Amino acid sequence: MISPKYFREIPQRYRLEAGKCKKCGTAYFPPRLVCPECKSKEFTKVNLSSEGKLLTYTIVRVGSDKFSQQSPFAVGIVELKDGVRLTTQLADVEFDKLKIGLKVKLVFRKIQDEGKSGLHCYGYKAILI
Amino acid sequence: MRDVAVIGVGMTKFGELWGKSLRDIFVEAALKAIENAGVDHIDSMYVGSMSSGLFVGQEHLGAVMADYLGMNPIPATRVESACASGGVAFRSAYFEVASGNSDIVLAGGAEKMTDGADVTEALATAADQEYEVYQGVTFPGLYAMIANAYMHQYKTKREQIAAVAVKNHKNGANNPNAQFRSEITLDQVLNSTLVADPLRLLDCSPVSDGGAAVILCSMDIAKKFKGTPIRIKATAQASDTISLHSRKSLTSLTAVSVAAAKAYKSAGLTPKDINFAEVHDCFTIAEIVVTEDLGFFARGKGGSAVEKGLTSLGGKIPINTSGGLKSKGHPVGATGIAQIIEVYEQLTEQAGKRQVKNAKIGLAQNMGGSGASCVINILEAL
């Protein structure tokens, strides 16, 4: 029963849909029901910019079983132009080229295979620009 | 609220306990604590456990442990706050006694991590499953990202971070309950296998089995029992965003500094009044950041403090005299209680070769996930 979970996260994973608080303007990814800053419950749907910069990163050498076939892989925290931050894999990079502050762009990629049926799960990964 | 004492402690050795089940481990620690305190009954009990469901397929731990401890029908409650489960179980027991609802309460914790589960995946459930772990990030990975951001911001030397592991193994070598009783060198840390850059195997706390338990009672009856009482001076807890990436700072842990400020205020103390502390060194970088958030050192100075020996036994403020999670072991749900046990042994001068001179006030800091929850308890010798 993995499909409903996957289905409802598609707006975020495929289209970077976030919620922007109507009262204080803070953008949240994923969208929230209440704004932690001002407690407002009203949001506007926005699509985030796919460009941003790398705040920190690591190279995961030992992944969980699910990611063991992909290890080693780079992961980082990216701040998008809207100020929203997220955790993402860093694709198509030479590990020794990575450094804090690099400009990156989110692209659509396969992330993992879930469950016994091996359902392909997609989402964003960052590449250097 | 009335004053509350800790009057007895007990723990299993931490390590790979192949011959013992989760319930064996908890009951062994609990029986030792009951015997050590010299109480003939307990009114209630709390069981800290992070993920018994994933590690051994067993939930409903309150009931399991009350049953196997032979304590039915007393109330028994499992407490979960990821790696802070033990510390929060202790805090829950404190409130039950302080409120006057019960006189004698057991706070324990246990984890059985070596029964074959995918430990990396189980531990990662303490992070944001949908927006961190979905991408493949692991716990070493999250703390490695803190380490990289920290080293970038403060120009901290890699050796200073590694020095935490060397110090904690030196302490753990003198702890009979520690998983690793071997000293290690800086070179060994810096040449161990990479787990998540820049963190290496010897920067990481191990996978462990273990249990720990303490007995709390109201101060007005504490001297009636065999165990030496110490006072619970303050308890405080705070929360932060579940995702590391949502925090304003990647080089400090707000839940730790907020909980610390509350604990110091409640105790009427400042960081300078703390004689020693057990802190949550799940990874070497965590100890450095936490000692800054606790106010022991200025921002960016935690690394040089370790290097200079300020946190060693005999230093300005000894940190993790037990060996910490790094050397003593980190059976997740038991960790917060084991920290209280080290503080108790120090304050009652039972720490042997690890003894801090003139130890009057000790602090235990236990946190969950990448710092999304933190509980701090301050204890005082009578």
Side-chain angles (χ1 to χ4, degrees):
Chain A
M1 292 301 290
I2 209 73
S3 323
K5 178 182 173 189
Y6 187 65
F7 176 80
R8 67 177 178 259
E9 288 168 358
I10 282 176
Q12 282 70 50
R13 305 229 191 277
Y14 289 20
R15 299 192 293 274
L16 294 174
E17 279 185 19
K20 190 169 185 177
C21 177
K22 280 187 179 174
K23 197 170 158 196
C24 75
T26 311
Y28 294 99
F29 181 81
R32 296 179 175 225
L33 297 175
V34 57
C35 174
E37 292 293 327
C38 73
K39 316 302 174 199
S40 165
K41 297 185 185 72
E42 290 189 49
F43 293 86
T44 315
K45 189 174 80 180
V46 292
N47 287 77
L48 297 175
S49 159
S50 61
E51 291 188 16
K53 64 173 181 184
L54 189 59
L55 298 183
T56 186
Y57 65 92
T58 183
I59 296 141
V60 175
R61 308 273 173 180
V62 185
S64 64
D65 289 356
K66 195 188 285 177
F67 284 89
S68 59
Q69 297 294 314
Q70 294 189 44
S71 307
F73 55 92
V75 175
I77 293 179
V78 168
E79 183 172 274
L80 300 175
K81 284 183 172 172
D82 322 69
V84 168
R85 296 174 173 191
L86 47 77
T87 298
T88 177
Q89 282 197 30
L90 303 159
D92 308 341
V93 291
E94 290 173 48
F95 296 152
D96 56 8
K97 295 267 165 46
L98 285 170
K99 61 178 187 183
I100 289 171
L102 286 176
K103 290 190 172 166
V104 298
K105 185 172 91 174
L106 298 180
V107 294
F108 187 73
R109 291 289 169 91
K110 189 180 121 175
I111 308 294
Q112 54 167 279
D113 296 328
E114 251 188 55
K116 285 181 185 160
S117 59
L119 183 78
H120 295 332
C121 297
Y122 297 89
Y124 46 82
K125 288 188 185 180
I127 57 169
L128 304 185
I129 50 175
Chain B
M1 300 273 269
R2 51 185 184 168
D3 273 5
V4 182
V6 178
I7 53 166
V9 304
M11 65 184 283
T12 66
K13 187 174 163 45
F14 283 2
E16 295 172 340
L17 310 178
W18 305 112
K20 293 174 183 173
S21 68
L22 177 64
R23 64 187 73 174
D24 292 341
I25 288 167
F26 181 87
V27 171
E28 179 183 324
L31 288 175
K32 281 182 181 169
I34 290 168
E35 157 66 23
N36 185 246
V39 294
D40 60 0
H41 75 283
I42 53 175
D43 299 321
S44 166
M45 58 189 271
Y46 290 86
V47 182
S49 169
M50 181 204 158
S51 199
S52 57
L54 290 175
F55 286 126
V56 298
Q58 178 73 60
E59 306 287 17
H60 207 179
L61 283 196
V64 173
M65 299 314 179
D67 180 6
Y68 274 75
L69 189 57
M71 288 295 172
N72 282 342
I74 67 164
T77 308
R78 183 252 185 98
V79 176
E80 187 271 313
S81 187
C83 325
S85 300
V88 178
F90 180 79
R91 180 173 153 86
S92 305
Y94 165 81
F95 283 125
E96 184 161 338
V97 177
S99 70
N101 191 72
S102 292
D103 288 329
I104 306 171
V105 176
L106 181 144
E111 212 78 58
K112 176 79 193 169
M113 300 174 73
T114 61
D115 265 2
D118 179 350
V119 172
T120 303
E121 185 179 76
L123 292 175
T125 60
D128 186 332
Q129 274 296 315
E130 296 178 4
Y131 289 91
E132 289 181 314
V133 183
Y134 181 80
Q135 293 279 340
V137 75
T138 58
F139 254 95
L142 289 169
Y143 278 93
M145 289 199 287
I146 294 175
N148 267 337
Y150 184 95
M151 289 163 73
H152 181 76
Q153 184 165 340
Y154 297 115
K155 312 293 173 226
T156 305
K157 288 186 289 179
R158 180 65 186 83
E159 291 76 9
Q160 293 177 330
I161 296 174
V164 171
V166 175
K167 168 184 70 74
N168 290 353
H169 269 256
K170 191 172 181 188
N171 290 340
N174 288 320
N175 184 347
N177 290 318
Q179 180 164 359
F180 299 124
R181 299 195 60 192
S182 50
E183 293 196 27
I184 55 173
T185 64
L186 213 49
D187 278 349
Q188 283 175 306
V189 182
L190 296 172
N191 292 308
S192 58
T193 309
L194 273 167
V195 176
D197 308 27
L199 299 181
R200 294 170 180 272
L201 188 64
L202 291 177
D203 288 294
C204 307
S205 58
V207 171
S208 321
D209 305 327
V214 298
I215 306 291
L216 295 81
C217 76
S218 66
M219 190 58 81
D220 50 9
I221 60 168
K223 290 192 175 152
K224 291 200 319 199
F225 304 104
K226 180 182 78 175
T228 307
I230 62 167
R231 185 191 310 276
I232 302 172
K233 187 90 172 155
T235 179
Q237 187 178 341
S239 309
D240 200 353
T241 62
I242 187 71
S243 297
L244 174 64
H245 61 237
S246 301
R247 316 231 178 107
K248 289 186 178 75
S249 166
L250 297 173
T251 57
S252 61
L253 298 164
T254 303
V256 180
S257 51
V258 169
K262 284 164 77 177
Y264 291 141
K265 188 178 177 198
S266 159
L269 298 171
T270 71
K272 287 192 173 67
D273 298 316
I274 306 297
N275 301 137
F276 66 98
E278 286 288 297
V279 310
H280 199 93
D281 60 322
C282 47
F283 300 94
T284 45
I285 183 66
E287 178 171 314
I288 289 173
V289 174
V290 165
T291 53
E292 295 172 11
D293 285 317
L294 290 172
F296 298 148
F297 305 108
R299 296 263 174 238
K301 302 293 182 193
S304 61
V306 183
E307 195 177 40
K308 288 178 191 160
L310 302 183
T311 58
S312 301
L313 190 60
K316 179 187 163 207
I317 172 142
I319 301 287
N320 285 329
T321 53
S322 69
L325 284 54
K326 174 69 204 79
S327 155
K328 184 179 54 192
H330 183 26
V332 191
T335 284
I337 301 290
Q339 292 180 323
I340 301 284
I341 293 179
E342 178 69 12
V343 174
Y344 180 89
E345 291 186 347
Q346 291 287 355
L347 293 178
T348 54
E349 298 191 339
Q350 300 177 66
K353 288 183 180 170
R354 312 188 310 283
Q355 186 63 48
V356 175
K357 283 186 188 145
N358 298 318
K360 300 294 178 212
I361 297 174
L363 178 149
Q365 178 271 339
N366 187 201
M367 65 185 171
S370 57
S373 63
C374 177
V375 57
I376 291 175
N377 293 293
I378 300 177
L379 299 106
E380 179 184 40
L382 287 181

